[in-house]
Amino acid sequence: ADEFKIHHNITLDVIQNGVDTEVFYPLKSEDKYRLRKKLNLPQDKKIFISVGALIPRKDMLTVIRGFKNRGIENTYLLIAGIGDEYRNLLKITNKDKNIVLLGNVSNVSEYMQASDYFISASWAEGLPNTVLEAMACKLPVLLSSIKPHKEVFETVPDYPYFFEIRNYEALASEINLIVQENYSVI
């Protein structure tokens, strides 16, 4: 709305995206581990999740490369979504037991609730709903440093877990930092 006002002298009202908190909410530890069992996910690993269409703009390749270069044991990556890059990403990840392409799932909220962290490496977004959903599940988020991601954290100007777009090494560093933090499950 600000850019339309500045560049086109058009005044707009803005209605931000919302999150259904009846669907996206944090779980207590014991419920989280029961859900992991139901979803056949490891109990003893830190689970990262990334959700979105498997298209270049969402940059799941950077997510995978950053995850592979993290140097941290006992971690697991879930990628939920389908798109033109699915087959290519499947080839890249087929020998890695700690990276799972879920495809299109109808229970994204359960996978988020079973996870420990969320990653978005998008090059461009509107207001990123999957980031809001992850935050509603109380997941710490690692985000590419695009304006829409930063907008979510306007009240937290020193939010530490941003990385430059297309920079998988920076993402790997942020993964290393975030797993060292002491986040407790509700």
Side-chain angles (χ1 to χ4, degrees):
D2 292 341
E3 289 185 25
F4 270 89
K5 183 65 177 169
I6 292 167
H7 298 295
H8 306 289
N9 200 29
I10 298 172
T11 302
L12 299 172
D13 290 324
V14 176
I15 300 172
Q16 299 287 13
N17 292 352
V19 174
D20 185 346
T21 55
E22 300 284 320
V23 177
F24 294 93
Y25 56 88
L27 296 179
K28 294 181 178 176
S29 294
E30 59 272 10
D31 295 329
K32 184 175 193 171
Y33 291 114
R34 273 194 288 275
L35 183 56
R36 282 187 179 190
K37 187 173 184 177
K38 172 187 164 189
L39 298 172
N40 294 315
L41 297 174
Q43 299 287 336
D44 60 340
K45 296 187 180 199
K46 296 286 186 181
I47 298 178
F48 289 78
I49 188 167
S50 192
V51 177
L54 304 184
I55 58 176
R57 180 175 58 86
K58 296 293 186 175
D59 201 9
M60 294 299 181
L61 186 57
T62 292
V63 173
I64 291 167
R65 286 180 174 161
F67 187 78
K68 284 185 170 203
N69 285 315
R70 74 208 177 282
I72 292 180
E73 299 298 319
N74 298 321
T75 56
Y76 199 77
L77 173 63
L78 302 171
I79 297 177
I82 199 73
D84 294 341
E85 292 193 328
Y86 182 80
R87 287 192 176 125
N88 183 43
L89 296 174
L90 195 57
K91 287 177 190 175
I92 293 168
T93 62
N94 74 349
K95 296 197 191 284
D96 196 321
K97 293 180 245 172
N98 291 325
I99 300 175
V100 176
L101 298 179
L102 298 169
N104 195 26
V105 295
S106 61
N107 57 340
V108 170
S109 61
E110 288 185 325
Y111 282 100
M112 281 198 188
Q113 290 168 326
S115 297
D116 298 299
Y117 308 96
F118 178 85
I119 301 173
S120 174
S122 290
W123 305 341
E125 289 284 347
L127 181 62
N129 223 48
T130 57
V131 173
L132 301 178
E133 292 164 348
M135 292 171 65
C137 292
K138 300 287 188 213
L139 297 182
V141 295
L142 296 108
L143 306 171
S144 57
S145 59
I146 59 174
K147 188 174 180 179
H149 284 161
K150 288 183 172 184
E151 179 183 7
V152 173
F153 289 95
E154 282 180 345
T155 61
V156 188
D158 58 347
Y159 185 76
Y161 303 112
F162 287 113
F163 58 93
E164 292 301 315
I165 62 170
R166 299 183 180 104
N167 188 336
Y168 70 88
E169 291 167 332
L171 173 56
S173 293
E174 296 305 319
I175 290 171
N176 289 336
L177 284 174
I178 206 165
V179 297
Q180 293 173 18
E181 297 290 328
N182 185 20
Y183 287 102
S184 60
V185 178
I186 292 175

